[in-house]
Amino acid sequence: MQAPQLQHLTVGGAAAATGTPRRLAYWEWSCQVADHSSVVVCVHGLSRQGLDFDTLAQTLRQRSRVIAVDVAGRGHSDRLADPMGYQIPTYAADAAALITRLRADAPDLQIDWVGTSMGGLIGMAMAAQPQMALRRLVLNDVGPAIQWEALLRIGAYLGLNPSFDSEQAAVAYLASISAGFGPHTPAQWQALSRPLLREREGRWWLHYDPAIAVPFKAMTATTDEARAQQIVQAGEAALWGLYDAIQAPTLLLRGAQSDLLTPETAAQMTQRGPKAMLVTFDGVGHAPTLVADDQVAVVRDFLWSS
């Protein structure tokens, strides 16, 4: 297995908390084929980071260079000065800067996108823009309609900034809030959890800026049911607009027990916009981790199909 290399790209837009030019971090796996013309960009969920995709990347690098982003405020990417910048427009602008950089030296580069949850929403924003010219799109357990109850569940732990007296205690905590990922071996939990942790002065902390929760909690804080419904409807209308503009072939993955992407929304996504091909994984909620062999195979076969 190849160890990925950590890279950085200076980006504009939202300012860094340090006051210096802001850097976007990403992990890169080189292609095993010297003469390759494609790259797969992978983007993680709300509180995760790029090394989530290591297992998938080890397979995809047989034909493509693979890049997995640490979204702003996560992993090795810089934190933002203004927490309200932790929203899709910032992330999409960063992604556009990355795509522009990738094509600077290779204008004809073919770019595929694999996005889990939030990473899928960013991917929709990219794929809806013809100038981004994404070749293929994989949306992992996310769509234009997101269940309010799932957002409240995520909001219950996002940004709490807990610390732990051992790495194993931290891993156990992460497993407890990630039950929707489905069954994993202890080794798989360790591999998924260790990159999420930072050790400081004998304590273990999560890798992300707790302030990523600020705009999220502002959105979900209303106790007015009518107002909450308005927020949901406005967000869904905008996201369906993006989805309907996508022309790239699209694969939609869904955990059969997902509380974020309903069967009804998934079915709609097969009938409108890019008319996604839907694959559902039993025994999994939100979201498939793309670690299991069958999950990796589905993504591989879709991206490698002609």
Side-chain angles (χ1 to χ4, degrees):
M1 293 178 64
Q2 183 202 59
Q5 299 299 306
L6 181 63
Q7 311 282 0
H8 288 90
L9 173 68
T10 300
V11 293
T18 58
T20 57
R22 184 165 62 88
R23 299 190 309 164
L24 180 73
Y26 60 92
W27 298 90
E28 182 172 348
W29 293 256
S30 63
C31 182
Q32 290 177 320
V33 179
D35 184 18
H36 67 281
S37 60
S38 65
V39 62
V40 181
V41 176
C42 302
V43 184
H44 58 78
L46 184 63
S47 62
R48 304 291 303 181
Q49 50 72 56
L51 287 177
D52 277 0
F53 295 98
D54 184 57
T55 298
L56 179 66
Q58 299 295 344
T59 291
L60 297 183
R61 66 179 291 264
Q62 295 174 41
R63 294 194 183 184
S64 300
R65 178 179 166 201
V66 182
I67 285 174
V69 176
D70 282 354
V71 174
R74 287 82 164 174
H76 293 271
S77 283
D78 288 340
R79 300 184 176 194
L80 301 184
D82 179 3
M84 291 306 293
Y86 287 125
Q87 299 192 60
I88 295 296
T90 297
Y91 308 150
D94 289 352
L98 175 61
I99 289 174
T100 299
R101 177 66 189 87
L102 292 174
R103 286 214 174 99
D105 299 324
D108 297 327
L109 184 69
Q110 293 183 334
I111 298 178
D112 296 326
W113 188 283
V114 178
T116 295
S117 195
M118 179 189 73
L121 297 180
I122 302 168
M124 285 170 53
M126 293 296 98
Q129 302 177 59
Q131 66 271 29
M132 292 293 105
L134 296 188
R135 188 186 74 99
R136 288 180 180 252
L137 174 66
V138 179
L139 299 175
N140 186 14
D141 209 65
V142 71
I146 297 173
Q147 293 300 103
W148 187 257
E149 292 78 8
L151 295 180
L152 294 177
R153 173 182 61 79
I154 294 168
Y157 64 78
L158 187 69
L160 293 180
N161 199 30
S163 67
F164 307 89
D165 59 10
S166 70
E167 182 184 59
Q168 195 53 47
V171 170
Y173 167 77
L174 289 168
S176 73
I177 64 172
S178 305
F181 290 178
H184 289 73
T185 66
Q188 288 171 332
W189 279 125
Q190 289 279 357
L192 285 168
S193 300
R194 279 179 174 155
L196 298 172
L197 301 172
R198 301 288 183 270
E199 191 271 333
R200 296 197 309 270
E201 299 177 353
R203 302 287 296 175
W204 294 85
W205 302 78
L206 300 184
H207 69 109
Y208 64 79
D209 182 359
I212 67 171
V214 172
F216 190 89
K217 291 185 182 299
M219 177 184 68
T220 58
T222 180
T223 57
D224 183 333
E225 186 173 339
R227 175 58 180 158
Q229 188 65 25
Q230 289 176 346
I231 294 172
V232 170
Q233 290 176 347
E236 287 185 9
L239 289 173
W240 277 117
L242 290 176
Y243 185 76
D244 287 339
I246 295 170
Q247 297 186 14
T250 299
L251 170 66
L252 175 62
L253 308 177
R254 180 177 181 272
Q257 284 73 51
S258 176
D259 63 349
L260 188 135
L261 177 64
T262 67
E264 293 76 17
T265 296
Q268 276 189 277
M269 293 171 71
T270 68
Q271 300 299 313
R272 57 189 287 185
K275 296 183 178 179
M277 179 177 74
L278 173 63
V279 176
T280 300
F281 298 109
D282 291 331
V284 180
H286 182 72
T289 58
L290 310 183
V291 168
D293 289 345
D294 60 335
Q295 296 175 18
V296 170
V298 167
V299 176
R300 177 201 64 205
D301 292 349
F302 173 73
L303 295 181
W304 288 1
S305 62
S306 57

